[in-house]
Amino acid sequence: MKKLTRKTKWVFIFLSLGILSCGSDNNSSNESFSMIGSDSVLKITSNEKIKEMYQIKDGEKTGFYKLYNDEGGVIEEGSVIKGNKEGLIKLYQNSVLTSVAYYEKNLKVYELDKHDFIYDSLNLKYFKICFPKNWKTNINPQENVLLIGRKNCDSSDVFCPVFSITKEKTNLSLKEYSSNALSLMQSKIEKMKILNENNFTINGFNIIQVRYMILKDGQTLGLQTGFCKINDEIFVMTGTAINDKDGEFLKYDGLFEEIILSIYK
């Protein structure tokens, strides 16, 4: 087998990972080369350390990105839309998470509780997920309610954000089940509004993700649900928070999404 050059070796690795580009600093810090694919850019330093990774769409940074220090450690990660920071942005120092903030159009809207984003791996028998270490959890891998996790709040009068995972056997397809579940909820709840719906394939799992608002007992709640089918069972992963004028749901929306999309075998 022909020996790979350094440049060819990087291309091979990135293609096998689904990353279609790379970049590298040469001996001079003012010189560089970049290999740009159809949807991503990866920059590599002269000592083969990743410096920056980002996705592109129509020639602009759009999607997930990471920045690295000279030692190859992550110092910043998050998402951008047309070059502007959007959603969760995380900062690190010496590989330790130092802050998490929510951005809209490159402006910081909320400083979030970084401790919510320090995770444990939870094994739920059927799959594993990442979940906040400092949340109270009740895990029942043999029951229909697999998990209930709740953030520790300072006051008992406050509705604390909660995340649950349930399962149910069904012959319906993933799409049929999620549509029926949402329709049933709309028929039983005083007021409900679906905000958006997305489809993902994560680590071999197909997920339908839905964000919606409901009015319950005089409170407006924001919810994010991920529906996932494994064999003949549907798993429903739902994060719930108050949706008030201070944007409480927005403060947890990114966290709920990270939990749902952290699913792995």
Side-chain angles (χ1 to χ4, degrees):
M1 180 177 178
K2 184 179 179 181
K3 185 177 180 180
L4 297 177
T5 64
R6 188 179 73 174
K7 183 174 179 180
T8 305
K9 178 175 67 177
W10 278 112
V11 175
F12 177 80
I13 292 171
F14 300 149
L15 285 173
S16 67
L17 294 174
I19 300 172
L20 302 180
S21 64
C22 70
S24 175
D25 295 331
N26 294 324
N27 292 331
S28 169
S29 61
N30 293 324
E31 297 177 334
S32 64
F33 75 86
S34 294
M35 300 182 65
I36 303 175
S38 61
D39 62 356
S40 58
V41 174
L42 195 64
K43 296 184 177 180
I44 307 298
T45 64
S46 59
N47 61 351
E48 298 191 353
K49 298 292 186 180
I50 301 174
K51 190 67 177 176
E52 183 178 4
M53 178 180 70
Y54 57 88
Q55 295 174 296
I56 55 175
K57 183 178 181 180
D58 299 327
E60 295 185 288
K61 290 185 179 182
T62 296
F64 189 71
Y65 77 92
K66 283 189 177 185
L67 302 178
Y68 301 81
N69 59 23
D70 293 338
E71 288 72 43
V74 178
I75 57 175
E76 183 177 327
E77 65 179 352
S79 59
V80 293
I81 297 178
K82 294 184 177 180
N84 292 318
K85 294 179 180 179
E86 293 282 350
L88 295 181
I89 305 296
K90 299 180 181 180
L91 301 181
Y92 299 84
Q93 187 172 8
N94 298 324
S95 300
V96 176
L97 183 66
T98 57
S99 70
V100 183
Y102 178 82
Y103 278 73
E104 289 182 355
K105 296 182 179 178
N106 225 34
L107 297 176
K108 184 190 293 187
V109 181
Y110 304 112
E111 189 74 30
L112 306 179
D113 183 354
K114 69 176 183 180
H115 298 98
D116 289 337
F117 297 87
I118 299 174
Y119 299 127
D120 266 335
S121 177
L122 300 185
N123 188 342
L124 302 177
K125 182 181 177 181
Y126 308 89
F127 53 83
K128 298 175 183 177
I129 61 165
C130 297
F131 201 78
K133 280 186 175 183
N134 66 339
W135 283 34
K136 293 180 180 179
T137 57
N138 184 10
I139 302 173
N140 299 292
Q142 307 300 328
E143 303 294 334
N144 287 341
V145 180
L146 301 181
L147 167 74
I148 295 179
R150 188 180 299 273
K151 181 179 174 67
N152 295 314
C153 296
D154 296 332
S155 172
S156 59
D157 297 330
V158 177
F159 180 92
C160 296
V162 62
F163 193 93
S164 66
I165 301 179
T166 63
K167 69 182 178 75
E168 180 182 357
K169 286 193 174 184
T170 180
N171 292 322
L172 298 176
S173 69
L174 179 61
K175 180 61 178 177
E176 289 171 333
Y177 184 94
S178 63
S179 296
N180 288 356
L182 293 170
S183 296
L184 180 62
M185 190 180 299
Q186 284 179 315
S187 69
K188 291 187 174 182
I189 292 177
E190 180 181 349
K191 184 177 180 181
M192 177 177 171
K193 178 181 180 182
I194 295 178
L195 303 176
N196 58 53
E197 180 177 323
N198 298 292
N199 296 320
F200 295 97
T201 299
I202 303 292
N203 297 323
F205 295 99
N206 295 323
I207 295 175
I208 294 178
Q209 176 203 47
V210 184
R211 289 179 174 88
Y212 50 104
M213 294 167 48
I214 66 172
L215 181 64
K216 184 177 181 180
D217 299 328
Q219 288 186 316
T220 301
L221 303 177
L223 299 93
Q224 183 182 155
T225 294
F227 297 92
C228 178
K229 187 172 185 181
I230 302 175
N231 299 324
D232 63 345
E233 292 182 304
I234 293 283
F235 296 82
V236 182
M237 302 171 280
T238 299
T240 307
I242 289 287
N243 191 38
D244 59 16
K245 63 181 180 181
D246 295 324
E248 190 73 6
F249 176 65
L250 283 179
K251 295 177 183 178
Y252 293 97
D253 181 56
L255 174 65
F256 296 153
E257 181 172 81
E258 283 202 343
I259 295 172
I260 292 171
L261 301 186
S262 72
I263 186 171
Y264 67 104
K265 296 179 182 178

